[in-house]
Amino acid sequence: MSETESRPAKDIKTISSRVVYENPWLLVREDEIERADGSPGIYSVVDKGNYAVVVPFENDGFWLVEQYRYPVGKRSWEFPMGTYPGRRTVDPLELAQRELLEETGLRAERWELLGELYCVPGFSSQGGHVYLATGLVPGEFAREPEEQDMRLAWFARADLEKMMRDGTIRDAQTIACYGFFLLHGK
């Protein structure tokens, strides 16, 4: 380890902050900062409430949802996930249970925290919790208006891995959460 690597880095100092845009789901701010070497700069930050991702697992396969993702202009297969409006920070397990039921109509008898992650820490404060849901019981959907086009399907583990390899699944959260699943020896 070099001398630079062994010394703790100084934090970036926030000089000022202003809200650039805000809606019920996110707030965009621009911060004037001072770097560790004293040089000035700016950071644009997207503040969002916490999110939860659910890995619904049964019969050596997974339940995924597919929906149209407006920012990328494509449909996307993903593990169920979401946030509360108003950038609320809530109990992550409660949020995971809500998202699973809302998007898939499934309830889980067993929940296991697989890990925590940041969505895109280069420009967003949003953090998330990843849960494994097992003992799945079917029920009724409770989808939000923007989720009305959502499809639900079960995929064998081998098919999920193929979809990741061939680019069918490009959602970073889904891919990372599958990594958590594997790290837990599942």
Side-chain angles (χ1 to χ4, degrees):
M1 182 181 300
S2 74
E3 181 183 325
T4 306
E5 292 172 321
S6 64
R7 285 184 280 159
K10 292 182 182 177
D11 290 334
I12 295 174
K13 182 179 176 184
T14 304
I15 305 301
S16 66
S17 185
R18 71 182 181 93
V19 174
V20 177
Y21 175 78
E22 184 174 7
N23 69 30
W25 297 100
L26 61 87
L27 177 144
V28 179
R29 68 175 205 268
E30 184 175 273
D31 294 352
E32 179 185 344
I33 57 113
E34 182 180 289
R35 294 182 186 92
D37 68 359
S39 63
I42 61 167
Y43 256 101
S44 297
V45 178
V46 177
D47 283 326
K48 292 189 75 169
N50 64 324
Y51 67 99
V53 183
V54 182
V55 179
F57 181 67
E58 69 179 353
N59 301 324
D60 203 34
F62 304 89
W63 288 98
L64 299 178
V65 294
E66 185 207 45
Q67 62 186 311
Y68 183 76
R69 291 299 194 178
Y70 180 81
V72 295
K74 295 180 180 177
R75 297 193 65 81
S76 177
W77 282 105
E78 307 164 356
F79 286 130
M81 65 184 83
T83 65
Y84 273 117
R87 299 182 308 277
R88 291 178 20 212
T89 300
V90 299
D91 174 63
L93 179 57
E94 173 190 321
L95 179 57
Q97 292 167 335
R98 175 184 177 266
E99 288 300 321
L100 181 65
L101 181 62
E102 180 181 288
E103 295 184 3
T104 69
L106 297 169
R107 293 183 193 276
E109 294 174 355
R110 291 173 300 286
W111 292 88
E112 179 183 348
L113 179 64
L114 295 180
E116 298 177 38
L117 44 79
Y118 290 111
C119 187
V120 281
F123 69 84
S124 178
S125 63
Q126 188 179 36
H129 292 78
V130 182
Y131 287 94
L132 175 65
T134 57
L136 302 174
V137 178
E140 295 295 318
F141 296 106
R143 292 182 176 153
E144 296 174 347
E146 54 275 341
E147 296 171 332
Q148 296 307 309
D149 70 331
M150 192 175 271
R151 294 187 329 166
L152 172 67
W154 180 89
F155 294 92
R157 186 188 299 220
D159 293 331
L160 176 78
E161 290 176 358
K162 179 183 178 297
M163 292 166 71
M164 289 179 182
R165 279 192 308 277
D166 71 16
T168 301
I169 294 177
R170 295 185 183 182
D171 174 63
Q173 303 306 301
T174 297
I175 295 168
C177 294
Y178 185 64
F180 274 129
F181 176 84
L182 294 175
L183 288 171
H184 278 75
K186 304 298 180 188

